[in-house]
Amino acid sequence: MNPALLPRALTALLAATVMAISPVRAESAPDKVSFGTNWVAEAEHGGFFQAVADGTYAKYGLDVTIVSGGPNDNNRMLLIAGKLDFFMAANTLMSFDAVANNVPVVTIAAIFQKDPQVLLTHPETKATRIEDLKPLTLFVSKEGISSYFQWLKSEYGFSEDKVRPYTFNPQPFLANKQSAMQGYVTSEPYAIEKSAGFKPGIVLLADYGFNGYSTLIETRRDLIDKKPDLVQRFVSASMIGWYNYLYGDNAAANAMIKKLNPEMTDELIAYSIARMKEYGIVDSGDALRDGVGAMTDARMASFFDKMVRAHVIRSDIDYRKSYTLRFINKGVGLDLRPKN
């Protein structure tokens, strides 16, 4: 490159970067965008509702409709069919599976730096570490058996002889004090406290090496190719929404959640937010430096290797096709994190 052109090139690059992470001008017509979640509205989706409620999406030139999921909905299929623009995938294994099955979706951000998957125990067991769970009866779902439990076998030597089916009914766990039950750190411990009157022990698998990302934003490859600016604006605004939800006034977002999910309570929402903060589910690890939504090549490679060793996925999958770092790791919203 001609040295005389270097300052101009740097200026142009800086301008392009700023445009990629900054709101659009007020006179720009908003782009209609649809985002599908994978479950009914809850605090674990709060940052997206926050960005709608406080006008962050609007500031980024977006008119966003959130389409809630549920037990009888498949919003990911609507994304693939072009009926939705973005989708909230559960975890990194879904991203790897998309590559294995030639599904044309890409992960563009990871809201949860830690998978919230936990195993809950009775106080009588005095279990505080993952190794303490090995003698216990484990209530694990069919999906759990084919995913994280295979990792427990591979990395820690757990035995399937100890496993019993978990049907999302806590009664078998409550009846057996020498047992552990799967759950999410943001919800099941609360349910046990309310129904059984004791605080269960909590072992968060992410703290012992189960390092896949969770609550991912997915989109189609064609949308990235045709409208990268729209994708960037949605990601950046969503990240700001998450900071404001965790650390700002989230009353309007919670009102939206309760309207869409009448079974949701203020108490459960407050509990879920508190646990997300306590365990660093959203704002920890690489997100502390690169902003909410962060991902890294190294961590993707690490989780892929673990899942191959556990025989959860095939070794010949090109997992690098499952995600892109193009729209994240820009530090968007870092100034919104409390200083203390």
Side-chain angles (χ1 to χ4, degrees), residues 209-228:
F210 190 68
N211 62 339
Y213 297 109
S214 181
T215 307
L216 314 171
I217 302 179
E218 285 185 339
T219 191
R220 296 183 308 280
R221 294 185 185 278
D222 67 280
L223 190 63
I224 291 176
D225 293 338
K226 295 175 183 177
K227 298 182 178 180

Side-chain angles (χ1 to χ4, degrees), residues 87-308:
F87 171 68
M88 189 181 76
N91 53 54
T92 307
L93 285 174
M94 288 186 67
S95 306
F96 294 163
D97 185 68
V99 175
N101 291 286
N102 295 312
V103 178
V105 298
V106 183
T107 293
I108 55 176
I111 304 303
F112 285 6
Q113 293 297 296
K114 294 183 180 182
D115 192 306
Q117 188 73 61
V118 295
L119 287 167
L120 306 180
T121 63
H122 290 263
E124 289 84 353
T125 67
K126 300 187 182 337
T128 59
R129 303 172 305 151
I130 202 165
E131 294 86 350
D132 299 334
L133 304 176
K134 292 175 73 173
L136 305 180
T137 298
L138 302 180
F139 291 102
V140 180
S141 68
K142 180 180 178 181
E143 294 78 13
I145 286 289
S146 63
S147 57
Y148 72 82
F149 187 77
Q150 299 306 310
W151 167 79
L152 286 173
K153 286 173 56 181
S154 171
E155 299 289 322
Y156 290 96
F158 277 64
S159 170
E160 287 192 15
D161 293 340
K162 293 290 186 180
V163 174
R164 300 293 181 270
Y166 174 58
T167 60
F168 299 91
N169 178 356
Q171 290 307 314
F173 163 71
L174 295 176
N176 182 355
K177 295 187 184 300
Q178 293 300 310
S179 70
M181 181 189 84
Q182 77 170 46
Y184 274 1
V185 72
T186 50
S187 54
E188 271 74 14
Y190 172 86
I192 294 298
E193 283 187 48
K194 296 296 287 187
S195 64
F198 70 88
K199 288 188 176 183
I202 296 174
V203 176
L204 183 69
L205 301 188
D207 287 343
Y208 290 88
F210 190 68
N211 62 339
Y213 297 109
S214 181
T215 307
L216 314 171
I217 302 179
E218 285 185 339
T219 191
R220 296 183 308 280
R221 294 185 185 278
D222 67 280
L223 190 63
I224 291 176
D225 293 338
K226 295 175 183 177
K227 298 182 178 180
D229 174 69
L230 182 145
V231 174
Q232 182 66 73
R233 283 184 282 131
F234 180 77
V235 170
S236 296
S238 297
M239 301 310 104
I240 290 173
W242 270 101
Y243 279 111
N244 286 331
Y245 186 71
L246 290 175
Y247 304 121
D249 181 358
N250 54 26
N254 290 336
M256 291 182 66
I257 290 170
K258 289 186 293 181
K259 183 176 181 180
L260 288 170
N261 181 7
E263 295 183 3
M264 187 57 59
T265 65
D266 289 328
E267 188 177 7
L268 177 53
I269 288 174
Y271 180 92
S272 298
I273 294 171
R275 297 295 82 75
M276 283 191 281
K277 291 180 178 179
E278 177 184 355
Y279 286 91
I281 299 299
V282 177
D283 198 10
S284 66
D286 296 313
L288 296 177
R289 178 191 66 237
D290 298 327
V292 168
M295 297 186 293
T296 67
D297 292 325
R299 184 158 159 191
M300 279 291 195
S302 170
F303 187 65
F304 176 77
D305 290 343
K306 290 175 182 179
M307 294 302 100
V308 169

Side-chain angles (χ1 to χ4, degrees), residues 60-79:
Y60 277 74
L62 301 173
D63 179 5
V64 175
T65 298
I66 297 178
V67 180
S68 290
N72 300 314
D73 298 309
N74 193 334
N75 281 340
R76 199 187 201 198
M77 287 301 298
L78 295 180
L79 170 71

